[in-house]
Amino acid sequence: APNYYQTGCNKWGPGKYSNSSGSAKCYECPAGYYSSEEGSISCSICPAGTVPNYYRTGCNKCLAGKYSNSSGSTSCYQCPKGYYSPKEGSISCTICPAGTVPNYYQTGCNKCSAGKYSNYSGSISCYQCPDGYYSPKEGSTTCTICPEGTVPNYHQTECIKCSAGKYSNYSGSSSCYQCPEGYYSSEDGSTSCTLCPAGTVPNYYQTKCNKCDAGKYSNYSGSTWCDQCQKGYNPSYSRDWAFPDAGST
């Protein structure tokens, strides 16, 4: 373009152009285009994965986590939910596989922590395993049911056996249950409890049956206490009563 006094022609700076002889002014490159040299007669389109810089003197790559999928784009777009782009200049985003979710900036996929799962590609959240289920490792796509006699631990990363005195009689239980009165379970991981026989009662924790003390008796299975024998009677564990002492009146 002519200088102010029209004594010569001045080149216009980068980011502008003039495409005809005798032009009186320079034009800014159109949106999505750039010119990197002085005196340009045309502007170049920014390729996919890039956008023009502020002065349109060059193209900047889209940041990781973003993309531009067409030439001449004026903006980089955030990857859709459940997708990521790991490097600058991406022209598309990749879906996160099952068992993972995108990180905060959508530059990669993070595995679901143990005790959680994600069962489809493009998930945006990891879900806690259902009650009675567990997942032992990172990146799980499903959870596994806990077998009888066990329940999940607090974080649902493994199944732990019910302690002696308790039981769980079905798969997927979320709690161990105390044995009913008059019953006991002697081992960890019990799926049922056993009735205490006549002449015995469960101990405090219901982990075994204790014999009634001398002078006391229990005359039926599943008793929770031992009765005191009447004065002048001896206990008998094989009958439903206590025999009197020999020679008593």
Side-chain angles (χ1 to χ4, degrees):
N3 61 20
Y4 183 79
Y5 295 104
Q6 296 183 288
T7 58
C9 297
N10 291 337
K11 288 183 177 181
W12 40 92
K16 297 183 178 182
Y17 77 104
S18 167
N19 60 356
S20 61
S21 300
S23 178
K25 64 177 183 177
C26 306
Y27 302 97
E28 186 133 41
C29 286
Y33 287 72
Y34 74 101
S35 65
S36 58
E37 297 179 357
E38 294 181 343
S40 296
I41 60 173
S42 64
C43 297
S44 300
I45 193 168
C46 281
T50 69
V51 291
N53 61 20
Y54 183 80
Y55 294 105
R56 300 185 190 179
T57 60
C59 301
N60 291 338
K61 289 181 178 180
C62 295
L63 297 175
K66 299 186 176 185
Y67 75 104
S68 149
N69 60 353
S70 60
S71 300
S73 181
T74 58
S75 297
C76 294
Y77 304 100
Q78 190 70 39
C79 287
K81 291 180 178 180
Y83 287 71
Y84 74 103
S85 64
K87 61 183 181 179
E88 294 182 342
S90 294
I91 61 173
S92 64
C93 298
T94 304
I95 195 168
C96 281
T100 70
V101 291
N103 62 17
Y104 183 79
Y105 294 104
Q106 293 179 257
T107 58
C109 302
N110 291 338
K111 289 181 178 180
C112 295
S113 57
K116 298 186 177 184
Y117 76 104
S118 145
N119 60 349
Y120 61 91
S121 300
S123 179
I124 59 173
S125 297
C126 295
Y127 304 100
Q128 191 70 39
C129 286
D131 288 347
Y133 286 71
Y134 75 103
S135 65
K137 61 183 181 179
E138 294 182 339
S140 294
T141 59
T142 60
C143 298
T144 304
I145 195 168
C146 282
E148 295 177 355
T150 69
V151 291
N153 64 1
Y154 182 78
H155 295 289
Q156 293 179 259
T157 58
E158 63 178 337
C159 299
I160 54 176
K161 290 181 178 181
C162 295
S163 58
K166 298 185 177 184
Y167 75 104
S168 152
N169 61 349
Y170 62 91
S171 300
S173 178
S174 57
S175 297
C176 294
Y177 303 100
Q178 191 70 39
C179 287
E181 290 186 351
Y183 287 72
Y184 76 100
S185 65
S186 59
E187 296 180 356
D188 291 345
S190 294
T191 60
S192 64
C193 298
T194 304
L195 188 68
C196 281
T200 69
V201 291
N203 65 2
Y204 182 80
Y205 294 103
Q206 294 179 257
T207 59
K208 64 178 181 177
C209 299
N210 290 336
K211 290 182 178 180
C212 293
D213 293 334
K216 295 186 176 183
Y217 75 102
S218 98
N219 59 355
Y220 61 90
S221 300
S223 180
T224 57
W225 67 87
C226 296
D227 291 309
Q228 188 72 41
C229 290
Q230 295 182 27
K231 186 176 181 181
Y233 282 72
N234 286 323
S236 170
Y237 304 119
S238 59
R239 305 280 186 171
D240 290 336
W241 62 87
F243 285 119
D245 287 337
S248 62
T249 57

